[in-house]
Amino acid sequence: MERSTDKAVIHVLNNHKGGKQVQTVWDRYEAQQPQCGFGELGVCCRHCMQGPCRIDPFGEGPDRGICGATADTIVARGLARAIAGGTASHSGHALHIAHVFKKTLLGETPDYAIKDEAKLKTVAVRCGIEIEDRSVKDIALELVNKALSEFGDKGEPLTWAATTVTTGRIETCNELGIVPTSIDSTIAEVMHRTTYGVDADPINILLGALKCAVADYAACHMATDLSDILFGTPQPVVSKANLGVLREEAVNIALHGHNPLLSDIIAQVASEPELITEAKKAGAAEGLNVVGICCTGNEVLMRHGIPLATSSVSQEVAIMTGVLDAMVVDYQCIMPAVATVAECFHTKVITTMPIAKMAGAEHMAFDDENAMECARAIVRQGIERFKFRNPNKVCIPQESSKAIAGFSAEAIIGALAKVNAEDPLKPLIDNIVSGNIRGICLFAGCNTVKVPQDQNYVEMVKKLLAENILILATGCASSTYARHGFMTSEATKKYAGKGLAAVLTAIGEAAGLEAPLPPVLHMGSCVDNPRAVDVATAVANKLGVDTSQLPVVASAPEAVTEKAVAIGTWAVVGGFPTHLGVVPPVLGSKLVTETLTATLKDLVGGYFIVEPDPVKAAEALLAVIDQRRAGLGLS
């Protein structure tokens, strides 16, 4: 099977100088074939030490586990635990930022500051905090204390969920009993109810999973809000993407993972003259070149214009260029194999978080109370490693694309305000009504080794853009579209349908760009998916309808992680039909499969559409969008 559709990745895979001992994620995937059929169907269980148990999907062997659990129960438990795992990841991310946020207000982290007071006040008001005649510090302190209370059991709905969705969504969640009152307790509840001898009712387990997904949404939204207040709300910025952003004559340092707490500081210190001079003295004529990988890359791209080198699945390939002097990682989506690949080159892999270490990497503990000094020390490690670079192993591909990133919800509303300052949503709604914008699709999720890298994303977006679907993107979806040139004005001219192109051109010209907006709007990292919900909720409230009625869909065509499962599930609870391009491990239960793909439609409005073929998937989403339009009385 073809490994990637990214020409830069293909070039390095075919021409790298690391030798035959270099193994990549694709090599290890091939070595795993055939993968376990029971696991793929979700019918294996090892929740107790009497197992592992597995159910015969053909009805010729065991139809229950040793405890009596059926395939329905086992599949539901597995799915619920995946959602809990994803929620725990986003919860940890949000809690980490909240802690640093509070320490900043208490004067314990001098290298951080409140950078967006306007957003602070907007979020505070939304959360029911009084702001009149109060200092920024007082407002921020009450806000962060409210944020921290979301992790304990406060006995009332989570603020970051209840205040950011439509009234209809709140009523739906109340009716189903899926309103979380604590992020951490909801995660613990899923782990409890799915352990040996507790919940065996698959539908009841799935309802618990939906509640956990709502908690995941709240954690994601909190992380986005606090990051924007602390580091600045993203605005459009022009940069580049793909492995061609690496430079032979510079010290190349890649920032990889998800959390901006360290990466944002490194992005700041990398422009200090002293460090640049040190890099040049080490022999790097062009000084320092900081690049991003995965969602940490998205964080520094949208706030600092740092180029994006590649996405998660091709993280090893960045090392295989032979010019990456340091890969600095925080947490999530970091393959332990990067340290092994780095042994074939001169790259130093530096772990920085106490919960995310790996054999073969050097650990430099990140101290938020001395953030700048930590960041400088890490950069100096990259400068030191430059001296060990082997020029015979250099393999930098030429490919890189211009990318306009940083379309936060505020940035989108701001652009629309250039068309209608008094009623910014009106141009968007008018064009949805007229059909110039037939619908909106949010692409999120990862790249999987089970699909040629980027293939599903690119094939789907070409068809949807031609049909006047406005595209929003986060996470590795953002990376894909940035690397393949879909985040440019030229892409609007090349790919967008006539109606969509006219809208993007009008907004771009009104905003003073003298060119269309890109047809794919970069909305940030995967934790930033609630930005898209904010726009949808504002439109729904303006129209007096629920989000489950809007011609808005979501897609994760190359999903991988438990985090993607959690995000996809809360998108469904939000009323958005959500496409998956990789079949999740649920087919071992007809009941669970039908619940996810059909029954949920009647309960919450959203549901899962599973279709591996990208063209058929795009057609399915277009059909759903047209059904939603017809429901609103639109042609």
Side-chain angles (χ1 to χ4, degrees):
M1 183 182 75
E2 186 181 7
R3 296 184 168 188
S4 177
T5 62
D6 182 330
K7 292 181 180 177
V9 171
I10 294 170
H11 176 85
V12 178
L13 288 175
N14 291 337
N15 298 285
H16 74 87
K17 306 297 193 301
K20 294 183 179 179
Q21 68 271 33
V22 174
Q23 282 196 341
T24 67
V25 64
W26 291 281
D27 298 315
R28 296 187 294 276
Y29 175 63
E30 290 176 2
Q32 288 286 337
Q33 300 306 311
Q35 291 181 293
C36 173
F38 295 99
E40 289 187 323
L41 294 173
V43 291
C44 55
C45 177
R46 54 178 181 81
H47 291 193
C48 81
M49 288 182 282
Q50 297 177 111
C53 296
R54 58 191 189 185
I55 306 300
D56 187 339
F58 303 108
E60 298 174 353
D63 62 356
R64 290 176 180 268
I66 293 171
C67 72
T70 64
D72 295 332
T73 299
I74 290 172
V75 171
R77 284 175 174 170
L79 178 63
R81 286 199 167 201
I83 292 171
T87 306
S89 300
H90 291 139
S91 167
H93 180 144
L95 185 61
H96 192 179
I97 292 175
H99 279 153
V100 173
F101 192 108
K102 185 167 184 176
K103 290 172 72 173
T104 299
L105 298 173
L106 298 177
E108 298 172 3
T109 52
D111 296 328
Y112 299 91
I114 300 295
K115 289 190 176 176
D116 193 338
E117 293 183 8
K119 177 134 190 181
L120 166 67
K121 293 177 180 177
T122 299
V123 175
V125 169
R126 194 189 71 213
C127 292
I129 294 172
E130 180 61 51
I131 65 170
E132 293 298 323
D133 301 322
R134 298 184 68 187
S135 69
V136 166
K137 181 178 179 181
D138 281 350
I139 297 168
L141 198 55
E142 184 172 346
L143 180 69
V144 76
N145 284 334
K146 184 179 279 288
L148 291 169
S149 73
E150 301 273 86
F151 296 92
D153 198 350
K154 61 179 189 175
E156 59 186 43
L158 296 175
T159 302
W160 262 265
T163 63
T164 59
V165 298
T166 61
T167 302
R169 287 300 89 194
I170 294 172
E171 292 172 350
T172 297
C173 290
N174 275 323
E175 291 171 1
L176 293 173
I178 58 172
V179 177
T181 57
S182 161
I183 295 173
D184 287 353
S185 293
T186 304
I187 297 167
E189 180 185 291
V190 169
M191 297 307 291
H192 179 194
R193 71 195 304 164
T194 57
T195 197
Y196 177 78
V198 187
D199 200 347
D201 180 335
I203 299 301
N204 203 42
I205 293 170
L206 291 178
L207 287 172
L210 297 184
K211 184 168 77 170
C212 192
V214 176
D216 183 78
Y217 167 77
C220 289
H221 208 305
M222 180 195 300
T224 295
D225 283 345
L226 297 185
S227 293
D228 284 355
I229 295 168
L230 207 53
F231 300 113
T233 303
Q235 295 294 323
V237 59
V238 180
S239 187
K240 288 187 174 182
N242 218 335
L243 292 165
V245 302
L246 294 168
R247 305 207 301 261
E248 187 168 1
E249 299 301 325
V251 173
N252 295 295
I253 299 174
L255 307 177
H256 179 16
H258 281 74
N259 195 309
L261 286 171
L262 170 60
S263 58
D264 199 274
I265 301 296
I266 290 179
Q268 295 176 46
V269 303
S271 61
E272 292 180 350
E274 182 179 350
L275 288 175
I276 293 173
T277 299
E278 289 180 29
K280 290 182 177 178
K281 284 183 178 179
E286 297 182 12
L288 291 169
N289 181 39
V290 177
V291 301
I293 294 176
C294 201
C295 280
T296 288
N298 281 312
E299 296 282 352
V300 292
L301 166 63
M302 63 185 174
R303 293 197 178 90
H304 296 278
I306 297 290
L308 187 64
T310 195
S311 64
S312 177
V313 76
S314 47
Q315 57 192 273
E316 297 159 304
V317 181
I319 295 173
M320 293 160 63
T321 62
V323 294
L324 191 61
D325 302 296
M327 176 181 280
V328 185
V329 304
D330 46 71
Y331 41 56
Q332 299 174 19
C333 299
I334 300 152
M335 297 181 197
V338 292
T340 306
V341 174
E343 290 175 356
C344 301
F345 299 87
H346 74 294
T347 309
K348 175 169 281 190
V349 178
I350 302 173
T351 59
T352 58
M353 300 295 166
I355 66 165
K357 298 181 180 181
M358 70 178 74
E362 178 169 336
H363 186 70
M364 298 181 68
F366 173 56
D367 178 6
D368 51 38
E369 296 181 9
N370 296 286
M372 287 287 189
E373 283 307 311
C374 282
R376 293 184 185 108
I378 288 170
V379 170
R380 288 191 169 103
Q381 286 294 313
I383 294 172
E384 180 65 24
R385 292 309 297 176
F386 177 84
K387 301 172 185 174
F388 297 93
R389 187 186 293 179
N390 183 347
N392 295 323
K393 291 188 175 182
V394 173
C395 179
I396 307 176
Q398 296 299 311
E399 286 79 10
S400 69
S401 297
K402 175 183 173 182
I404 305 175
F407 287 91
S408 59
E410 291 84 350
I412 291 175
I413 300 299
L416 292 169
K418 300 293 184 182
V419 180
N420 188 332
E422 294 182 357
D423 192 355
L425 288 176
K426 191 173 187 302
L428 177 61
I429 292 171
D430 286 349
N431 281 291
I432 291 174
V433 170
S434 70
N436 284 334
I437 298 176
R438 184 171 168 185
I440 299 173
C441 182
L442 167 65
F443 278 93
C446 334
N447 284 125
T448 174
V449 72
K450 293 185 175 181
V451 175
Q453 183 185 12
D454 304 332
Q455 175 179 276
N456 284 359
Y457 283 111
V458 172
E459 292 302 316
M460 288 183 70
V461 87
K462 285 181 180 176
K463 185 168 184 61
L464 293 175
L465 286 175
E467 296 293 337
N468 296 307
I469 305 300
L470 178 63
I471 305 298
L472 310 178
T474 61
C476 282
S478 289
S479 170
T480 293
Y481 294 129
R483 286 182 285 108
H484 285 268
F486 285 93
M487 292 183 174
T488 64
S489 299
E490 291 74 20
T492 297
K493 300 172 184 174
K494 183 175 181 180
Y495 297 109
K498 186 176 178 181
L500 179 62
V503 175
L504 295 171
T505 299
I507 297 174
E509 290 179 351
L513 300 178
E514 299 182 352
L517 290 184
V520 179
L521 301 182
H522 177 289
M523 295 199 83
S525 64
C526 57
V527 81
D528 291 327
N529 279 298
R531 296 189 196 276
V533 177
D534 287 347
V535 176
T537 299
V539 170
N541 287 334
K542 176 81 174 176
L543 294 172
V545 301
D546 200 354
T547 45
S548 59
Q549 297 172 266
L550 297 176
V552 178
V553 297
S555 175
E558 300 182 20
V560 172
T561 67
E562 293 173 324
K563 295 180 297 173
V565 178
I567 291 170
T569 305
W570 63 246
V572 165
V573 176
F576 306 110
T578 299
H579 162 250
L580 298 176
V582 178
V583 180
V586 299
L587 295 184
S589 167
K590 183 178 179 182
L591 175 64
V592 172
T593 302
E594 287 185 350
T595 300
L596 298 174
T597 57
T599 309
L600 281 177
K601 182 178 182 180
D602 295 329
L603 296 176
V604 298
Y607 55 97
F608 285 103
I609 302 166
V610 182
E611 177 51 70
D613 184 294
V615 175
K616 292 180 180 177
E619 291 171 347
L621 293 179
L622 287 168
V624 170
I625 285 170
D626 287 345
Q627 291 169 9
R628 293 283 180 100
R629 291 184 63 87
L632 292 170
L634 305 177
S635 59

